[in-house]
Amino acid sequence: MLDDPLALARLQFAFTAATHYMFVALTLGLAPYILFNQLTAVLKRDEARMRAVRFWGGLYVLNYAMGILSGLVMELQLALNWSGLSDMFGYAFGAPLAVETMGAFFIESTFLGLWIFGWDRMGRWAHWACFLVVTATAYASAYWVLVANGFLKWPSGFRIEDGTAVLDSPWALLGNPSTLMAFGHVATSALLVGAAVIAAVSASHLRRGHDPDRMFHRGIRHAVAILLVAVFPVVAVGGAQFILYGQEPPTSGMTYSAEEIAAIEADRSPAVEAVGRIGGDVVMMTSWLLITVVAATGAVVWLVRRLDRARWFHWVLIALPVLPYLASIGGWVFRETERQPWVVRHHLTTADAMTDLSPAMAVASFAFFTAAFTALAAVTVWLLVRFARRGPEGGPLAPAPAESDREGGEPVPARTL
């Protein structure tokens, strides 16, 4: 494989995309939970609940920062290794990514900064509104990325002029059925990822008998409720995407004739088909396993109402985040391999989309990006675990101790909302 630049480039992008999505899924999963909890804290003027918002928000900020960094690196290697895609479909594929980048860097990051540094410096409703914008732009960013990805799978709304795709109908691009179904699937599956992480962190603290302000008692129950609500839409929306499988995209025949398309697809690699089947199997198995775990958890919560004391079950919840991550990555593997050997289905093959790289250059690129993303993922997981174990007293957004606390005097009561 080391002498095959195409295989290395594909494996590299698969690894970097899967690593980046780990951060994206947790960001999308935590944001609505933090937003809802801060709204509850503001309405009730509850300082204890606001401390919980600071704790979960600290994990969100750390994960968001790593997601931005990994996204930049991923877009860099997308430009370096797949220049053929941008040369032919830059106007259609690149435009949504440009909008997503502008939104993430200028809107989402700005309001997240206001939220981070606005504690006790702005009104409670203005502060909450900042995170409302953060949450909305996070999901908008995911939508724009899926607009680009959906175009690759179901290309429509363009014409070819001098070998370059020119957009004819922005509405066909924005309303792409592949995009809309994938967005629904990503949005609901991210809720599972966020809920699983909340449940795992809460269970870890409850197992150690550490539950300030009953923060983790609430966290574990909220997480189970989210899992129960979200798991069935995830399976339903994911299954709905199979409607498009086997169908011809509306622009099929524009670039290649039917005979040429059939000849290209006849050379589809058996290894690619095997990977796609494995990805599909992972999705199905983990989805069913999630349903089983969630059903058992819900029975314990509603019938016994002692989940916060069920130490034996805490170990199950601590391991739970692995399952939705596997399901998410498996789903992407299945979605992307099903489209092969095309980058843009029936218009641009994977081989033609790749930059002309020598084997040595491909090996160097693969080694650099794999090492960079492995280190990034390892550091992020270590930091998340470290701050999660510290609890609300040692999180990234934990309030600084009062002067009297540092000097050993009487503590100063926290300022009410």
Side-chain angles (χ1 to χ4, degrees):
M1 187 180 70
L2 294 180
D3 60 349
D4 186 353
L6 179 58
L8 285 173
R10 293 179 63 190
L11 185 60
Q12 174 186 315
F13 190 79
F15 178 71
T16 53
T19 304
H20 175 63
Y21 184 73
M22 291 175 60
F23 307 130
V24 172
L26 185 55
T27 295
L28 295 176
L30 283 180
Y33 181 74
I34 296 169
L35 183 70
F36 173 79
N37 275 271
Q38 184 170 1
L39 177 61
T40 304
V42 167
L43 290 173
K44 295 185 176 182
R45 296 178 176 266
D46 189 335
E47 190 67 31
R49 291 178 184 270
M50 192 60 79
R51 283 191 289 272
V53 172
R54 281 182 178 266
F55 171 69
W56 298 114
L59 300 183
Y60 176 91
V61 169
L62 175 62
N63 182 79
Y64 175 85
M66 294 301 182
I68 288 290
L69 181 58
S70 66
L72 287 173
V73 178
M74 189 180 74
E75 290 195 6
L76 173 63
Q77 67 97 37
L78 179 64
L80 291 175
N81 288 1
W82 304 98
S83 59
L85 176 60
S86 59
D87 289 343
M88 185 172 181
F89 288 97
Y91 293 115
F93 174 78
L97 293 182
V99 173
E100 186 274 334
T101 301
M102 294 287 288
F105 280 96
F106 290 97
I107 301 177
E108 187 176 359
S109 297
T110 297
F111 279 89
L112 183 59
L114 290 172
W115 187 77
I116 293 171
F117 297 105
W119 290 94
D120 301 325
R121 290 181 174 86
M122 62 174 65
R124 62 184 188 274
W125 284 109
H127 190 248
W128 175 81
C130 287
F131 202 79
L132 175 63
V133 175
V134 170
T135 303
T137 50
Y139 278 84
S141 294
Y143 166 75
W144 283 108
V145 170
L146 290 170
V147 167
N149 181 265
F151 175 83
L152 302 182
K153 184 176 179 62
W154 196 256
S156 60
F158 69 94
R159 67 183 186 276
I160 302 294
E161 291 184 357
D162 299 325
T164 301
V166 179
L167 198 61
D168 264 344
S169 172
W171 303 115
L173 183 68
L174 300 179
N176 193 318
S178 179
T179 293
L180 298 179
M181 287 188 285
F183 178 71
H185 189 56
V186 167
T188 50
S189 63
L191 292 177
L192 292 183
V193 172
V197 170
I198 293 168
V201 173
S202 300
S204 176
H205 282 275
L206 290 173
R207 187 183 61 82
R208 293 185 288 144
H210 180 239
D211 191 17
D213 304 321
R214 293 178 64 80
M215 174 189 307
F216 300 113
H217 172 89
R218 293 192 302 271
I220 202 169
R221 292 178 178 271
H222 291 165
V224 168
I226 295 171
L227 288 169
L228 284 168
V229 170
V231 68
F232 295 106
V234 168
V235 177
V237 179
Q241 296 182 75
F242 285 93
I243 296 173
L244 298 180
Y245 289 178
Q247 294 189 29
E248 302 293 324
T251 56
S252 182
M254 182 185 296
T255 305
Y256 291 93
S257 66
E259 293 76 14
E260 291 172 323
I261 291 172
I264 292 173
E265 294 184 342
D267 291 333
R268 179 181 171 93
S269 169
V272 170
E273 294 185 358
V275 170
R277 287 195 299 270
I278 293 172
D281 290 341
V282 169
V283 173
M284 296 302 295
M285 288 188 297
T286 51
S287 295
W288 281 111
L289 187 54
L290 272 171
I291 293 173
T292 303
V293 172
V294 169
T297 305
V300 173
V301 171
W302 298 113
L303 298 179
V304 181
R305 294 182 180 274
R306 286 292 183 270
L307 183 59
D308 54 318
R309 301 180 185 178
R311 295 176 62 86
W312 64 271
F313 201 73
H314 291 165
W315 288 109
V316 176
L317 294 178
I318 290 172
L320 182 61
V322 174
L323 298 177
Y325 273 122
L326 283 178
S328 299
I329 300 304
W332 276 114
V333 169
F334 183 77
R335 178 180 173 87
E336 296 304 300
T337 54
E338 188 274 340
R339 190 179 68 244
Q340 295 301 316
W342 305 98
V343 166
V344 180
R345 195 172 181 194
H346 294 183
H347 293 281
L348 182 66
T349 65
T350 307
D352 289 338
M354 182 186 165
T355 304
D356 186 16
L357 298 176
S358 67
M361 293 172 63
V363 169
S365 176
F366 177 81
F368 171 76
F369 282 102
T370 300
F373 269 69
T374 299
L376 184 63
V379 170
T380 303
V381 172
W382 177 74
L383 289 174
L384 286 172
V385 171
R386 181 184 182 189
F387 285 113
R389 285 182 59 83
R390 283 184 177 182
E393 301 86 1
L397 296 183
E403 284 294 329
S404 57
D405 289 341
R406 290 195 291 266
E407 297 171 0
E410 291 296 324
V412 177
R415 188 173 72 85
T416 57
L417 293 176

